[in-house]
């Protein structure tokens, strides 16, 4: 079919990836929009995902994986963002020259995504970051002569304080997790909560733990974080005992299959999914009466905030969290200042009723 140019405001771009009988990847660029109360589809182009562009995206993906050491989820998101942008521009096998992309194109795309996609500023900034990475790489490899994404500024985002669980509530949750005993699922779920809180792990880091990531005596854990960077996290004694109990349980119940090295398993002996862990944390915190947001990252924030309130050095917290820069860690000082202000209000004689 002859490609039709669709104006930027026509609808929301989507991609359909198909495999032909000859093994050629086929991509359909289309727009979906509302028409008379129903969803309608307008096709922009149907093509064998033209070899030059397909190879370019494949090479860019390998660059993100091998050189930038981005996580599989980040790589997938970046590629998705770029494919949407290229589809919106109407780039196809007959018109694949990326040198014609301008800074104004990117700015129009941001406006379109903000208005039609109803995305938050943080989500838009992720898409801007994807395009910046692409055009930096294209400049470096000589495909384009200038980086058209460099002048594009990120959107301003509101600075929200990290949500965390108060120490009194978290102490009760930890005590309940320590005492939890019984079947495999109860032991696993309580250990998930303890590991997030005691180690300050990210969701992907916890899911990716293998049993051989622990030291011989299980007193420390090697974590593979963002950018495949490794850090060592010490195990508190009560967490260490819980880990040993859990490993003994899966061995006694013959849950672990021989080829699976993961620490956290499903009933079938396979590595647990991110979705299952997220749901487990939500259910456990909800059952414990935690108010507000309930997620693995809230437990990570709680770990950092409680350490800071307990007098830990900012650099030490940065290392334990696996932050690349101290700036990312300093957000927790706001929570500590808020706590100091609360104590001050309750304790200072002028605030307790004096003039």
């Amino acid at each position: 079919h002859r490609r039709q140019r669709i104006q930027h405001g026509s609808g929301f771009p989507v991609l359909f990836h198909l495999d032909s009988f000859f093994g050629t990847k086929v991509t359909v660029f289309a727009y979906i929009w509302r028409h008379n109360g129903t969803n309608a589809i307008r096709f922009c182009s149907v093509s064998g995902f033209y070899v030059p562009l397909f190879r370019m995206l494949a090479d860019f993906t390998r660059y993100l994986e091998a050189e930038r050491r981005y996580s599989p989820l980040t790589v997938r998101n970046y590629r998705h963002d770029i494919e949407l942008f290229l589809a919106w521009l109407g780039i196809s096998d007959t018109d694949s020259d990326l040198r014609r992309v301008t800074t104004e194109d990117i700015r129009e795309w941001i406006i379109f995504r903000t208005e039609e996609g109803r995305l938050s500023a943080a989500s838009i900034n992720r898409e801007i970051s994807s395009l910046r990475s692409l055009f930096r790489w294209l400049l470096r490899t000589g495909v384009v002569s200038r980086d058209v994404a460099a002048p594009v500024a990120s959107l301003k985002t509101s600075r929200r304080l990290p949500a965390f669980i108060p120490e009194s509530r978290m102490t009760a949750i930890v005590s309940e997790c320590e005492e939890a005993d019984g079947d495999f699922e109860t032991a696993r779920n309580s250990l998930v909560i303890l590991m997030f809180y005691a180690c300050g792990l990210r969701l992907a880091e916890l899911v990716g733990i293998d049993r051989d990531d622990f030291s011989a005596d299980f007193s420390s854990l090697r974590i593979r974080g963002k950018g495949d960077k490794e850090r060592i996290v010490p195990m508190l004694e009560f967490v260490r005992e819980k880990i040993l109990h859990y490993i003994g349980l899966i061995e006694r119940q013959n849950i672990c299959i021989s080829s699976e090295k993961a620490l956290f398993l499903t009933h079938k002996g396979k590595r647990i999914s991110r979705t299952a862990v997220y749901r487990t944390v939500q259910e456990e915190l909800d059952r414990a009466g935690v108010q507000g947001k309930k997620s693995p990252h809230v437990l990570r924030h709680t770990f950092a905030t409680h350490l800071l309130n307990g007098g830990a050095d900012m650099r030490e917290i940065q290392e334990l969290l696996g932050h690349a820069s101290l700036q990312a860690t300093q957000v927790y000082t706001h929570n500590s200042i808020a706590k100091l202000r609360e104590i001050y209000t309750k304790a200072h004689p002028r605030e307790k009723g004096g003039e």
Side-chain angles (χ1 to χ4, degrees):
H1 296 279
R2 184 168 54 86
R3 182 177 60 86
Q4 293 180 340
R5 175 74 183 191
I6 307 299
Q7 295 302 316
H8 294 177
S10 297
F12 189 77
V14 292
L15 295 174
F16 300 94
H17 294 300
L18 308 172
D19 289 318
S20 74
F21 293 108
F22 302 102
T24 303
K25 181 172 284 293
V26 174
T27 299
V28 179
F29 293 139
Y31 282 80
I32 292 182
W33 79 103
R34 298 290 291 179
H35 179 67
N36 293 333
T38 60
N39 285 331
I41 298 178
R42 178 180 296 172
F43 292 99
C44 301
S45 67
V46 182
S47 66
F49 198 40
Y50 40 93
V51 174
L53 189 56
F54 178 68
R55 284 180 179 169
M56 182 274 290
L57 287 176
D59 290 343
F60 177 64
T61 299
R62 283 192 290 271
Y63 159 75
L64 294 178
E65 293 169 340
E67 293 191 38
R68 302 298 297 173
R69 310 296 290 271
Y70 286 167
S71 70
L73 180 61
T74 300
V75 172
R76 187 177 70 199
N77 288 339
Y78 271 40
R79 177 155 183 162
H80 175 73
D81 295 340
I82 291 165
E83 287 178 337
L84 283 181
F85 174 68
L86 296 179
W88 178 78
L89 280 179
I91 289 180
S92 70
D93 50 350
T94 59
D95 187 11
S96 60
D97 188 0
L98 293 176
R99 292 174 298 179
R100 70 177 178 83
V101 179
T102 66
T103 300
E104 195 58 33
D105 286 332
I106 298 176
R107 288 180 174 140
E108 287 184 23
W109 167 246
I110 294 169
I111 294 172
F112 171 77
R113 292 291 280 156
T114 303
E115 294 177 349
E116 299 297 325
R118 295 183 177 87
L119 300 179
S120 67
S123 297
I124 293 294
N125 285 342
R126 204 280 309 282
E127 296 194 1
I128 294 173
S129 179
S130 301
L131 295 177
R132 282 177 182 157
S133 294
L134 172 66
F135 282 97
R136 274 199 303 266
W137 178 79
L138 290 173
L139 180 63
R140 171 183 166 185
T141 54
V143 176
V144 298
S145 58
R146 68 187 189 92
D147 183 355
V148 295
V152 179
S154 298
L155 303 184
K156 290 185 177 180
T157 57
S158 57
R159 188 76 178 208
R160 293 182 298 176
L161 295 180
F164 69 97
I165 302 170
E167 290 186 37
S168 56
R169 174 74 68 179
M170 198 64 222
T171 298
I173 294 172
V174 169
S175 297
E176 187 174 336
C177 289
E178 282 186 88
E179 297 167 3
D181 203 355
D183 62 3
F184 158 75
E185 187 172 325
T186 301
R188 182 198 65 193
N189 293 353
S190 61
L191 182 59
V192 164
I193 300 297
L194 291 177
M195 290 286 285
F196 274 128
Y197 175 61
C199 304
L201 303 178
R202 300 179 177 95
L203 175 57
E205 292 171 348
L206 181 129
V207 171
I209 295 175
D210 293 332
R211 292 192 296 281
D212 57 9
D213 288 333
F214 291 96
S215 59
D217 60 354
F218 285 84
S219 62
S220 63
L221 171 66
R222 184 179 71 252
I223 299 294
R224 289 177 295 276
K226 284 187 175 181
D228 218 20
K229 296 176 182 176
E230 292 189 356
R231 67 184 189 276
I232 302 297
V233 176
M235 289 289 103
L236 298 174
E237 182 58 29
F238 77 93
V239 179
R240 175 181 173 275
E241 292 175 1
K242 199 73 179 178
I243 293 169
L244 293 174
H245 170 74
Y246 166 74
I247 291 177
L249 190 63
I250 61 177
E251 290 175 350
R252 287 194 302 274
Q253 297 188 8
N254 199 29
I255 292 174
C256 181
I257 57 179
S258 59
S259 60
E260 185 57 74
K261 300 187 295 181
L263 174 65
F264 291 105
L265 305 170
T266 65
H267 284 284
K268 295 182 179 179
K270 296 183 178 180
R271 188 182 300 273
I272 197 169
S273 68
R274 293 162 58 103
T275 302
V277 172
Y278 197 100
R279 185 168 58 247
T280 293
V281 171
Q282 284 186 317
E283 291 172 353
E284 293 295 320
L285 295 185
D286 188 58
R287 191 168 57 84
V290 173
Q291 302 298 312
K293 187 175 182 181
K294 295 174 275 286
S295 71
H297 225 63
V298 167
L299 290 173
R300 176 172 159 89
H301 292 326
T302 302
F303 162 82
T305 302
H306 291 182
L307 281 180
L308 191 62
N309 290 341
D313 181 79
M314 188 72 70
R315 289 286 182 185
E316 295 168 350
I317 297 175
Q318 176 191 355
E319 186 174 342
L320 289 170
L321 290 173
H323 282 162
S325 68
L326 190 60
Q327 183 179 5
T329 312
Q330 286 175 333
V331 67
Y332 297 105
T333 61
H334 296 290
N335 283 332
S336 294
I337 291 171
K339 181 184 178 183
L340 288 174
R341 186 176 291 112
E342 181 183 350
I343 294 172
Y344 173 85
T345 302
K346 291 179 179 178
H348 198 281
R350 295 294 292 268
E351 290 291 330
K352 289 195 297 183
E355 296 182 0

